[in-house]
Amino acid sequence: MAVTHGGWKAAPQAQPSLGLSSLLSPVTPDEFKRAYWEKKPLVVHRENPDHFAASLSFRDVDHILSTSSVRSSELKVVVNGQEIPLVEMAASGPGGPSNGLEVLYDLYRRGSTVVFKFLHERWEPLGRLCRTLSGEFSAGFQANAYLTPAGAQGLTSHYDTHDVFVLQVWGSKHWRLYESPDELPLATQPYRRPKDGPGAPVREFDLRPGDLMYMPRGTVHDATSNDEASLHITLGVLPVLWSTVLKDALDRAIEGDPRYRGALPPGFALDPELRDGAAATLAELLGSVAAAVDPAELVERAASRALVGRRPVLDGHLLDLEGLRTLGPDTLVRRRAELLWSLRPEDTGLQLEFHGKVVRLPARIEPELRYVLDARAPFTARDVTGRLDVEGRLVLVRRLLQEGLLTLA
């Protein structure tokens, strides 16, 4: 079969306003990955207060707040590390939940930090940034925003169990980094603050508008706003870990060989000889796992897992589904910008993967499918080249429009 798997690909016309290079500048992506990623914090100071303005501004946050519902779990308020039950306070206050925004602002005026969780899901510029970085890192990305009044602290010293980029948007914050007790902790290893605190900071600095910081997971930190309100974005990175791939290898070995599914010898808990034999058997089983799995297949599965965490690009899809009824050979469509896809052969045909799903298609339509995937400009079903007649091309375009790979131009 002529199809080869070239890895995940992005729309060639996608030109995001902010990607890894501009995020890190003047540090290069190669330098970052070599010297800082999962190794040590990076702080970038730059004299450009509008560097992140295209992704989120102070005025944008004012608008988001004015249209937010305090009933949402994606909006919370914290002060000195304690979350304030905003929904309950709004419900019990004058006017009930309908006056919740005033309750929120009252807490903010008195020193509470407003946290916008998963803001990338409802603010498209941040969504676009997360999708771009997700493709560059082969990892999931999520964006939270933290709005802290002057001279206040939201969260106390802690570490995150995912890597974090901090983008200072407005005002300034004084950051303190401490010795970290755990290197690259897993999600199951949350920070346990010592009774006497995290100790003396090993590094202190201010982040001002346009500045950036990267912290590997496990970096203990806290921060306090200075003499004006502070707004910063945190980009959480959710990579595929070797531990996940290794667990996948063991699961696949267990599924494929009954030896791994057998029981330990009856009575082993009370018999030292049986326990010695069980230990020898376990060593043999562990040694055979590598031969029972295909490393290349496991990495392919990890690649698919990495892209599942990327939010689908489906703006306008509701209109596309309605447009299916009147779709014709001369209807203009286009491949979605920013969409990542992978095409590979399988025994029964072609496997097209995107948006966390697999669409299976016959191998004979490879030329038509390649035309669609490589298209840089809008096209019609009649434009598609290959061996199919116009009606067959229309069937393919209709299928890909319905699945969300294409959209009406």
Side-chain angles (χ1 to χ4, degrees), residues 87-129:
V87 175
E88 290 82 353
M89 290 188 68
S92 61
S98 62
N99 200 37
L101 188 58
E102 173 55 38
V103 173
L104 182 149
Y105 264 116
D106 182 57
L107 293 169
Y108 174 75
R109 296 180 196 117
R110 290 188 281 136
S112 296
T113 292
V114 181
V115 183
F116 304 80
K117 298 179 64 178
F118 308 114
L119 191 54
H120 64 289
E121 295 183 355
R122 54 194 191 281
W123 189 252
E124 176 53 24
L126 283 180
R128 188 163 56 247
L129 173 60

Side-chain angles (χ1 to χ4, degrees), residues 134 138 153 167 191 204 210 216 233 290 300 318 320 337 348 374 398:
S134 176
S138 297
Q153 181 181 33
L167 288 56
Y191 179 65
E204 292 189 67
I233 303 163
E300 289 295 334
L318 190 60
D320 293 338
T348 57
D374 294 337
R398 182 178 287 115

Side-chain angles (χ1 to χ4, degrees), residues 78-82 153-159 176 178 191 193 198 220-223:
V78 295
V79 61
N80 295 325
Q82 298 297 314
Q153 181 181 33
L155 301 175
T156 55
S157 56
H158 68 287
Y159 66 55
R176 293 166 292 270
Y178 303 89
Y191 179 65
R193 192 173 190 274
V220 180
H221 62 278
D222 59 40

Side-chain angles (χ1 to χ4, degrees), residues 188-359:
T188 54
Q189 298 173 291
Y191 179 65
R192 292 177 175 82
R193 192 173 190 274
K195 291 182 179 179
D196 54 354
V202 296
R203 189 173 180 183
E204 292 189 67
F205 51 88
D206 284 350
L207 288 184
R208 303 186 183 281
D211 292 350
L212 170 136
M213 174 174 59
Y214 160 75
M215 292 185 291
R217 54 193 180 276
T219 303
V220 180
H221 62 278
D222 59 40
T224 304
S225 59
N226 291 313
D227 57 359
E228 60 183 330
S230 166
L231 172 66
H232 74 261
I233 303 163
T234 63
L235 300 176
V237 193
L238 307 171
V240 180
L241 306 180
W242 284 115
S243 60
T244 303
V245 179
L246 290 170
K247 290 175 183 178
D248 191 15
L250 185 57
D251 287 341
R252 292 183 70 77
I254 291 170
E255 291 171 2
D257 190 330
R259 291 181 302 158
Y260 301 98
R261 305 195 295 269
L264 275 69
F268 82 98
L270 302 177
D271 188 326
E273 290 187 9
L274 288 178
R275 289 202 300 276
D276 290 342
T281 300
L282 179 58
E284 179 184 341
L285 290 175
L286 289 173
S288 66
V289 169
V293 296
D294 180 359
E297 181 186 357
L298 288 168
V299 172
E300 289 295 334
R301 286 166 61 87
S304 297
R305 181 182 289 111
L307 274 300
V308 167
R310 189 176 191 264
R311 189 170 175 81
V313 186
L314 285 171
D315 55 297
H317 189 52
L318 190 60
L319 298 174
D320 293 338
L321 294 176
E322 283 299 295
L324 284 171
R325 295 182 294 105
T326 56
L327 187 73
D330 298 308
T331 303
L332 276 173
V333 298
R334 61 174 173 82
R335 184 159 56 82
R336 290 183 175 276
E338 302 180 51
L339 182 141
L340 298 182
W341 55 269
S342 173
L343 181 67
R344 63 179 70 115
E346 59 179 4
D347 293 339
T348 57
L350 303 174
Q351 178 177 294
L352 176 62
E353 187 173 355
F354 62 98
H355 285 173
K357 65 182 175 183
V358 172
V359 177

